[in-house]
Amino acid sequence: MKIAIAQLNPTIGDLSGNFQQILEAAKQAASEGVRLLLTPELSLWGYPPRDLLLNPGFVKFMSAELQTLAQQLPSQLAVLVGTVEANPHAFSQGEKPLFNSIALLDGGKVQQIFHKRLLPTYDVFDEDRYFEPGRQSNSFTIESDSKSKIRVGVTICEDLWNDREFWGKRHYEVNPIEDLAHLGVDLIVNLSASPYSVGKQKLREAMLRHSASRYQTPILYANQVGGNDDLIFDGSSVAFNRAGEVACRAKAFQSDLVIIEFDPERGDLLPASITPLPETEEEEIWSALVLGVRDYVRKCGFSKVVLGLSGGIDSSLVAAIASEALGGENVLGVLMPSPYSSEHSVIDAIALVNNLGIKSHKLPIGETMEAYDKLLEPLFAGTSFGVAEENIQSRIRGNLLMAIANKFGYLLLSTGNKSEMAVGYCTLYGDMNGGLAVISDVPKTRVFSLCHWLNRHGEIIPENVLNKPPSAELKPGQLDRDSLPPYDVLDDILDLIIHKHQSEPEIVAVGHDPKIVNKVMKLVARAEFKRRQAPPGLKITDRAFGTGWRMPIASRWLISNQPIEDCRLQIVD
Amino acid sequence: MKIAIAQLNPTIGDLSGNFQQILEAAKQAASEGVRLLLTPELSLWGYPPRDLLLNPGFVKFMSAELQTLAQQLPSQLAVLVGTVEANPHAFSQGEKPLFNSIALLDGGKVQQIFHKRLLPTYDVFDEDRYFEPGRQSNSFTIESDSKSKIRVGVTICEDLWNDREFWGKRHYEVNPIEDLAHLGVDLIVNLSASPYSVGKQKLREAMLRHSASRYQTPILYANQVGGNDDLIFDGSSVAFNRAGEVACRAKAFQSDLVIIEFDPERGDLLPASITPLPETEEEEIWSALVLGVRDYVRKCGFSKVVLGLSGGIDSSLVAAIASEALGGENVLGVLMPSPYSSEHSVIDAIALVNNLGIKSHKLPIGETMEAYDKLLEPLFAGTSFGVAEENIQSRIRGNLLMAIANKFGYLLLSTGNKSEMAVGYCTLYGDMNGGLAVISDVPKTRVFSLCHWLNRHGEIIPENVLNKPPSAELKPGQLDRDSLPPYDVLDDILDLIIHKHQSEPEIVAVGHDPKIVNKVMKLVARAEFKRRQAPPGLKITDRAFGTGWRMPIASRWLISNQPIEDCRLQIVD
């Protein structure tokens, strides 16, 4: 029996577009003799629909679309489609109003509905906000070509992520895969929308391998692909045979349709095409960011982008990502030197523009700075040059970039990295401006490693950009290292704070300088107000600033017993 | 037996400050012969702690503070303190790592711990993200002065919000108050952190009245007070006797300590002081916004604010709120007329400055606009004046305001109303700039009613500000009504979209012009990218843009079958 995985790239709420994607995959699968087609979790909506789920009219409309889809599918093909179902017992039982569901469409009808049992409610996931967990094991039987009946266990994304033997602990009370194994299903399918983070696919495959071999049951894992706001879904759908070996793997970071043969007699999958995994983490991250930019730009209705080019490494990397995603002709780099800009800032930016084949324009901001100085002179008289003046420059640039974006209908990309966003080394309404923050989840040390990887076959990022010391160039001779610890130290401390949830004493205990740790913690706490107003940023780690980072602003979150004065939040830069 | 309610105003995560508040309230209560003191939900942390809860070091530290507090409390006084407790079965049972708890401190020790049973996970609430629900009914016995034993049922906020008879439906499976009534407790306490919205106190009291009389049990409701980021807690702690009558009510929008006598023989509360409720919704909202501004400014470590004064009604109202919250001498209004500004914009703003007694400064932006025009001329040649040029003006103003904020350590207040934020009639990085959006949850029609209410005893908002047609004044002769439907129509449609979750056909069905409905829905969908980057805004309705509004950006959320081109999101203004 042939089973296909349609690794689709839906747009959230675009029901007609997503409907068409499923229908086209179904036609292609049917033409190749497929009996059962898998699509990702919530394939009709796109994942995550977020508060669109609170609109009952939308839910009803989706339900009607599902019926229509069932009628239009090729005969002889059964399709599992991700949708939501109203919970009829919500009000009487005090339950949530919806289920996160999979519909089995076959023979022109909705034959069966399965509900997701484990609802992730952590990080970027809010499923308890909308959904009631399913209480039953999900399975169906399907007649294969050979007229033997196959029993298929159905799981939805998180349902597979609770094996105590694999994780060493339980995340939820029940383990749906164990329940299915006890039922004695012939194979298990998992329909997912699992977002990318560095190394995630290796973890997924280790887990799937463990489950397939532990329960001696083939597992077919169908993942969503594509960027939806901050989340990048990497696809990499994969099938494991009973021995826990990869039988088939779809492409990473691209739409795909793969077909796998299930042999009812052997009760196992036959080997099929296996796309190799990306070779390095840098290759993986690069592909993720390219997809994230391409999809955000496209799904928001744009085709061209603009960004500021400072001659620094961050904007250089973002320009490279954008030109890979959209084509160099659709990228406009704007050089905006000030009197404090080094000679090299322009030379290096021009070299990058030439290497990438993107468009560029130069707008020196000196005279505009003078207009502000003149206007503010009566008010600022007697004060010395400081953060206020530094930020004016950055905000002039931000204003110019938005003017260009507004005038020509371009999307502005912002270029700050995660280390900067963490400590607030960036200007709100200045260099933070943009519709999308491309590398705001990429630590500075990783920015360097990505650029070196990018240059592996020849120069793309100019050598001087890689070698000069990082600088914001907002005052004469300014260097990042005068304000911040060295980036390798900073990134390590930030990882302990952000990813490992460690406190000041714990971070000092691993050997970091107490003064530096205290300074970094204060900076991270203080910068919360900036991050709250940042554009959506592409998520590549397991803890990004964004929809999954929910911190109070007016708060104290340092444990050390500093006087309040030292810990206070200053919303002044 | 005397029972006191300490209506406290904690700062999130400020454990030493919150500790001191509890201790001082305890000392005062003890000096008045109180036996039992109630404090709000999570009183040691402040509510909501959000992702600070993910830091195990912080949780441990809080736990140690609780022990210390128990030792420092006056003897003879039992205190219920809000805290979190680690869930020892989290990993083995697949449960959440924490409980939202109340500790009973008495005799120098933590005597008992109670866990919250109903965990709100909707709107701004994310409790399923952090907490496991308590499974048991919570009660304790306490010896009163007369040596009779009183059995007290303990509920935490949401635990009381699930009476099917009152709501006509169930929100959760269990009803803790019913369980307690079956246990036969003498009185029920509810320790809350329930945020304000218009009319919320009336709803709370109707519910509490119903429960007290239904179960013939007195209920003491202790609520948090104060602003924490977007949320304003209104206090208004209240006690109901067995007959469902108010026996005592604390102040609204202020810290308070109230004492109520429980008569063990009658098994009821004796009448105590009752603060009247605010007389009008306008008075309520005004008090809420004043508190929200005062606390955000103070808890972020500021004392002074700056804002742009356009001579329009929105900035006038915000200036009035700020001067009430902080004193006129701590408010700086900046007038930034452009060549497109009407003569009255300056005259009206100056009249407001005089009425309020705030400081002001004038910065005409004409020359700075020319500097941008000159710089962009080669790029913009041949295009006509449009949104790009309008936004440049707004962003010049935003830059000037941030420069002043940065230079002098002021907090910038932004002044956009909810109607504008809904349809995107505002400039990102321009008039949206600020640390706090004071009226971003106040619809334009309510802005008018607030200003009229404010002028009830004499002119505060200049008459001309109230009477002239609203205008952004970004091009000659521009009026809001040329771009938007009349505000009464707009606000009604927005209410149906935002609060009632209605779809296009449903809104048309109640009698609105289909073209206007379609236009408004498109504007609301398109403006999502702006709202994502807005400052925190004070929440006064049951559905604000902010932490409880979780919409995708790159999405389609219109049901009408428009061509995609018409529905696409344009991030261009």
Side-chain angles (χ1 to χ4, degrees), chain B residues 531-568:
Chain B
R531 289 189 291 268
R532 185 68 69 87
Q533 297 188 44
L538 298 176
K539 183 179 194 292
I540 64 150
T541 71
D542 54 6
R543 186 138 170 86
F545 305 126
T547 53
W549 177 265
R550 301 179 186 174
M551 283 290 181
I553 297 177
S555 67
R556 315 261 176 276
W557 48 293
L558 293 172
I559 292 181
S560 75
N561 46 0
Q562 303 286 319
I564 292 289
E565 286 66 37
D566 287 350
C567 301
R568 79 187 175 128

Side-chain angles (χ1 to χ4, degrees), chain B residues 7 193-197 199-202 204 221 223-227 231-237 250-255 277 284 288 291:
Chain B
Q7 183 171 291
S194 172
Y196 170 73
S197 63
K200 181 90 162 272
Q201 182 66 7
K202 283 188 185 158
R204 282 185 201 129
Y221 175 85
N223 195 17
Q224 177 174 290
V225 74
L231 302 184
I232 301 156
F233 297 85
D234 50 329
S236 307
S237 300
K251 290 172 190 149
F253 305 107
Q254 293 178 52
S255 299
L277 293 174
E284 217 183 82
L291 177 61

Side-chain angles (χ1 to χ4, degrees), chain A residues 123 129 300-301 406 569 572, chain B residues 123 129 300-301 406 568-569 572:
Chain A
D123 191 31
R129 181 176 169 92
C300 286
N406 288 175
L569 291 163
V572 295
Chain B
D123 190 30
R129 181 175 169 93
C300 285
N406 288 174
R568 79 187 175 128
L569 291 162
V572 295

Side-chain angles (χ1 to χ4, degrees), chain A residues 83-144:
Chain A
T83 184
V84 302
E85 282 286 311
N87 177 2
H89 308 298
F91 286 167
S92 62
Q93 301 299 314
E95 296 180 348
K96 292 286 180 179
L98 299 173
F99 292 105
N100 179 342
S101 306
I102 295 290
L104 172 65
L105 310 187
D106 198 9
K109 286 187 200 161
V110 178
Q111 297 288 354
Q112 225 171 317
I113 299 274
F114 313 103
H115 302 320
K116 188 174 184 177
R117 304 185 64 192
L118 306 186
L119 300 175
T121 301
Y122 54 82
D123 191 31
V124 298
F125 303 106
D126 276 323
E127 296 203 14
D128 278 352
R129 181 176 169 92
Y130 313 105
F131 299 121
E132 185 66 21
R135 309 279 179 203
Q136 297 180 330
S137 278
N138 297 311
S139 70
F140 65 96
T141 52
I142 186 167
E143 290 192 354
S144 73

Side-chain angles (χ1 to χ4, degrees), chain A residues 11-14 49-52 54-58 61 90-96 121-123 126 128-130 164 169-173 229 296 299-302 361 363-365 367-368 371-372 374-376 379-380 383-384 386-389 391-392 395-396 399-400 402-411 429 433-435 501-503 532-536 543 547-559 564 568-573, chain B residues 11-14 48-52 54-58 61 90-94 96 121-123 125-126 128-130 164 169-173 229 296 299-302 361 363-365 367-368 371-372 374-376 379-380 383-384 386-389 391-392 395-396 399-400 402-411 429 433-435 501-503 532-536 543 547-559 564 568-573:
Chain A
T11 296
I12 306 298
D14 179 15
R50 311 194 81 210
D51 277 3
L52 291 179
L54 302 182
N55 187 333
F58 214 98
F61 201 75
F91 286 167
S92 62
Q93 301 299 314
E95 296 180 348
K96 292 286 180 179
T121 301
Y122 54 82
D123 191 31
D126 276 323
D128 278 352
R129 181 176 169 92
Y130 313 105
R164 191 179 186 172
K169 61 184 178 185
R170 287 161 88 174
H171 299 115
Y172 303 86
E173 213 181 319
D229 290 359
Y296 191 79
K299 292 179 183 181
C300 286
F302 290 86
H361 197 85
L363 297 171
I365 64 168
E367 286 183 31
T368 314
Y372 280 94
K374 190 179 152 198
L375 189 53
L376 288 166
L379 209 55
F380 285 9
T383 68
S384 50
V387 169
E389 286 79 2
N391 284 338
I392 287 173
R395 293 186 181 121
I396 289 171
N399 195 348
L400 291 169
M402 284 303 290
I404 294 168
N406 288 175
K407 178 61 80 176
F408 301 111
Y410 293 177
L411 183 83
Y429 320 131
N433 284 10
H501 306 291
Q502 292 202 357
S503 59
R532 185 69 69 87
Q533 296 188 43
R543 187 138 169 87
T547 53
W549 176 265
R550 301 179 188 175
M551 282 290 182
I553 297 176
S555 68
R556 314 259 176 276
W557 48 293
L558 293 173
I559 293 182
I564 293 290
R568 78 187 176 131
L569 291 163
Q570 292 187 294
I571 305 196
V572 295
D573 54 66
Chain B
T11 296
I12 306 299
D14 179 15
R50 312 195 80 209
D51 277 3
L52 291 180
L54 302 181
N55 187 333
F58 214 99
F61 201 76
F91 286 167
S92 62
Q93 301 299 315
K96 292 286 180 178
T121 302
Y122 54 82
D123 190 30
F125 303 106
D126 275 322
D128 278 352
R129 181 175 169 93
Y130 313 105
R164 191 179 185 171
K169 61 183 177 184
R170 288 161 87 174
H171 300 113
Y172 303 85
E173 214 180 321
D229 289 0
Y296 191 78
K299 292 178 182 181
C300 285
F302 290 87
H361 196 86
L363 298 172
I365 64 168
E367 284 183 34
T368 314
Y372 279 94
K374 189 179 155 198
L375 188 53
L376 287 166
L379 209 54
F380 285 10
T383 69
S384 49
V387 169
E389 286 80 2
N391 285 338
I392 287 173
R395 292 186 181 121
I396 290 171
N399 195 347
L400 290 169
M402 283 303 292
I404 293 168
N406 288 174
K407 177 61 80 176
F408 301 111
Y410 295 176
L411 184 83
Y429 321 130
N433 284 11
H501 306 291
Q502 292 201 357
S503 59
R532 185 68 69 87
Q533 297 188 44
R543 186 138 170 86
T547 53
W549 177 265
R550 301 179 186 174
M551 283 290 181
I553 297 177
S555 67
R556 315 261 176 276
W557 48 293
L558 293 172
I559 292 181
I564 292 289
R568 79 187 175 128
L569 291 162
Q570 292 188 293
I571 304 195
V572 295
D573 53 66

